[in-house]
Amino acid sequence: MGLSHFILANMDVILDKWAEFASTLVPEKRQFNREALIDHARLMLETIATDLLTPESAFEQTEKSMGRLARGPEISAASLHGAAREESGFTLNATVSEYRALRASVTRLWEDLPENQPMPPEAVVDLVRFNEAIDQALKDSVTSYYDEKEQKIRLFDAILSSTPDLSCIFDLEGRFTYANKVFLELLGMQLGGLVGKTYADCGMPNAAEKDRQVKQVIQTGQPVRGECCFAHRPGDGDLYEYILTPVYDENGRMDGVAGTSRNVTDRKAAEIRNWKQANFDPLTGLPNRCLFHNRLEQEVLHATRSGGPIALLFVDLDKFKAANDRFGQDAGDLVLQYASARMCACVRETDTVARLGGDEFTIILQDLNENGHAENVARKILVQMQRPFHVRQQAIHISASIGIALAPFDADTPEELMRDADHAMYLSKEAGCNCFRFYSRPHHDHVP
């Protein structure tokens, strides 16, 4: 589901959250019902949803990033909202906060959808366009809040200082002319001490690259995006996404460069966390079935192209079920953790040890350039699995049955290699366990 359809389908839920938050901002001695609080919000969301369905050309994307979005002659719902809020006695910060709440209501519900974990590229594009539309709506709203020039100047500072985003402006020589309150607090400076300086003059991290990017925007008229780390305090640092965009006057001449940075530390951490949950076994920390198959596909493809052999070991723990039943699941989980650590100690860092589930493990041995390497690893694992596992003052004894298949000798696809290694593992089971078998003995004669 695209973001446009999502907004329209969840309009009432979004507006309920909007109204709930807006009710906390109502000026004293004023009464607002729900319909009054969502007066222009529905029309704004419907307009944004319609805009998201309209394809954008590269030129239109650039125009939007420059803040030069073409407007029609009609008065926007956001403009009506800003004027109405001023007339009703809302503070500027309260009016701006409503947009932050609207943005949060949509983006959090959107990002929490299962299909957006992790977020696919097309969903990211929708989210960027939505944020651009909200930014435009915010601009329309606050512009209508004040109609005199000096009031607009005060409004400009109030808007930028009421948001957690870092905002600043540079002149055409690449020197600061403005920074909002959050940015100044981060730098530990006053505005008067910042104006006229460059990033390098402020001693900021990666200052040379930042100053180069500001000059790049001035020279090319094109926005620049990136990521950087800002420290709020010694030893601490948050990750920010930033954009530097040219600013034009009413005659179309470049007037300066505007910079905005947004803290994405929590979002990045969530993306990493979601990736780990999707690719690693929570008990052992080993790659799970999904990540294993991805790596196996890459390794088999490399082996078939280069002719350099790889080995796939299918490892099944003997007598584990009996031990798990006898000593309990907690003890069984510890055995699995200890067993995975012992297997990892038997291979190189470039090899892959994965847990498919239960007591089944797989190992991918890369670049078998040494004679007998796969056999030596299998013997090491058998020795390690025979050693007792000491769990809660109990000695638990298990062993392992191992099947080995080679690519490209035995198979040239991941599915065939898995089938062959699994078959060889069952041959080792039939041989009495605590041993290993190669899938094909004629091929075994050629094993490096």
Side-chain angles (χ1 to χ4, degrees):
M1 178 190 297
L3 182 53
S4 174
H5 297 296
F6 173 82
I7 291 174
L8 295 175
N10 294 273
M11 182 73 74
D12 289 337
V13 176
I14 296 169
L15 292 178
D16 282 339
K17 291 184 176 296
W18 164 286
E20 179 181 354
F21 178 79
S23 65
T24 67
L25 305 174
V26 174
E28 294 182 2
K29 301 180 181 179
R30 294 301 302 268
Q31 297 293 327
F32 284 83
N33 57 32
R34 179 181 180 278
E35 291 305 314
L37 287 173
I38 65 171
D39 45 7
H40 307 293
R42 183 183 298 276
L43 182 55
M44 277 191 282
L45 288 176
E46 289 174 349
T47 302
I48 291 173
T50 301
D51 181 69
L52 290 175
L53 289 174
T54 305
E56 282 186 343
S57 66
F59 174 77
E60 289 171 331
Q61 292 174 2
T62 301
E63 288 295 290
K64 280 191 175 182
S65 69
M66 293 178 179
R68 301 193 301 189
L69 176 65
R71 307 292 303 176
E74 72 280 5
I75 300 175
S76 71
S79 296
L80 295 173
H81 175 266
R85 285 301 192 254
E86 192 278 333
E87 183 179 356
S88 300
F90 278 65
T91 66
L92 177 59
N93 283 344
T95 304
V96 172
S97 293
E98 287 188 277
Y99 285 85
R100 293 168 57 189
L102 183 62
R103 188 199 304 269
S105 297
V106 174
T107 55
R108 287 173 184 168
L109 289 171
W110 173 246
E111 290 174 350
D112 287 342
L113 290 177
E115 59 266 34
N116 288 338
Q117 302 290 329
M119 188 167 290
E122 59 272 17
V124 174
V125 172
D126 274 355
L127 199 56
V128 169
R129 291 188 62 183
F130 171 76
N131 278 300
E132 288 176 342
I134 285 291
D135 289 340
Q136 181 64 44
L138 174 59
K139 177 183 176 182
D140 290 349
S141 181
V142 298
T143 299
S144 68
Y145 195 91
Y146 288 126
D147 57 2
E148 294 183 4
K149 186 174 183 178
E150 29 195 69
Q151 290 176 320
K152 290 180 180 179
I153 294 174
R154 293 203 310 266
L155 172 65
F156 172 78
D157 187 62
I159 294 170
L160 295 181
S161 295
S162 67
T163 173
D165 294 346
L166 310 179
S167 299
C168 59
I169 296 177
F170 302 88
D171 62 21
L172 294 181
E173 293 182 355
R175 299 182 180 278
F176 284 101
T177 62
Y178 173 84
N180 68 346
K181 181 180 178 181
V182 182
F183 201 170
L184 291 171
E185 289 177 348
L186 185 63
L187 298 177
M189 301 178 66
Q190 298 293 323
L191 182 58
L194 179 66
V195 172
K197 293 184 177 180
T198 64
Y199 277 115
D201 295 333
C202 300
M204 297 180 65
N206 302 317
E209 175 65 12
K210 299 287 198 317
D211 285 332
R212 185 194 65 78
Q213 290 178 335
V214 172
K215 291 180 179 179
Q216 178 182 335
V217 175
I218 296 170
Q219 294 168 358
T220 66
Q222 300 297 317
V224 172
R225 298 175 184 269
E227 291 184 353
C228 62
C229 187
F230 282 142
H232 290 276
R233 60 187 68 88
D236 184 24
D238 284 345
L239 184 64
Y240 285 80
E241 286 181 347
Y242 65 86
I243 181 172
L244 299 167
T245 59
V247 178
Y248 294 88
D249 62 20
E250 60 274 10
N251 297 317
R253 292 189 296 265
M254 189 182 299
D255 202 25
V257 175
T260 302
S261 302
R262 176 163 297 166
N263 192 322
V264 294
T265 306
D266 291 341
R267 194 192 80 197
K268 291 290 186 179
E271 290 175 355
I272 294 173
R273 185 167 57 252
N274 291 336
W275 183 82
K276 287 184 177 180
Q277 290 174 352
N279 291 281
F280 287 87
D281 173 49
L283 177 64
T284 63
L286 295 176
N288 62 12
R289 184 183 295 270
C290 177
L291 182 56
F292 161 73
H293 278 294
N294 289 340
R295 291 186 179 178
L296 182 62
E297 184 175 356
Q298 295 174 8
E299 293 300 332
V300 171
L301 181 61
H302 176 72
T304 54
R305 286 178 174 176
S306 66
I310 66 168
L312 174 63
L313 280 63
F314 203 114
V315 183
D316 187 84
L317 302 183
D318 306 322
K319 299 177 287 187
F320 173 77
K321 184 179 183 303
N324 194 64
D325 293 340
R326 178 182 176 185
F327 296 102
Q329 182 176 343
D330 291 344
D333 286 347
L334 288 174
V335 170
L336 291 174
Q337 291 173 341
Y338 296 157
S340 66
R342 292 184 186 182
M343 280 185 249
C344 289
C346 295
V347 302
R348 301 162 297 187
E349 291 185 0
T350 55
D351 299 325
T352 296
V353 180
R355 182 188 178 208
L356 300 188
D359 59 356
E360 293 182 340
F361 296 82
T362 52
I363 300 174
I364 304 173
L365 301 179
Q366 300 178 330
D367 302 323
L368 301 181
N369 296 322
E370 299 179 6
N371 292 334
H373 180 67
E375 181 175 342
N376 291 337
V377 170
R379 293 187 186 280
K380 289 180 182 178
I381 293 174
L382 293 178
V383 171
Q384 290 297 321
M385 294 303 107
Q386 277 189 299
R387 291 172 48 215
F389 291 86
H390 297 283
V391 178
R392 297 175 182 174
Q393 300 180 343
Q394 298 283 345
I396 299 178
H397 296 272
I398 62 172
S399 59
S401 296
I402 304 174
I404 307 173
L406 305 170
F409 302 126
D410 296 328
D412 56 9
T413 68
E415 295 76 17
E416 292 175 345
L417 194 64
M418 280 287 291
R419 180 199 63 198
D420 294 347
D422 185 53
H423 178 72
M425 184 273 292
Y426 278 103
L427 292 179
S428 68
K429 288 279 190 185
E430 293 174 356
C433 302
N434 191 32
C435 63
F436 66 89
R437 290 290 184 270
F438 282 86
Y439 170 69
S440 173
R441 184 164 295 279
H443 287 173
H444 175 41
D445 295 337
H446 301 287
V447 175

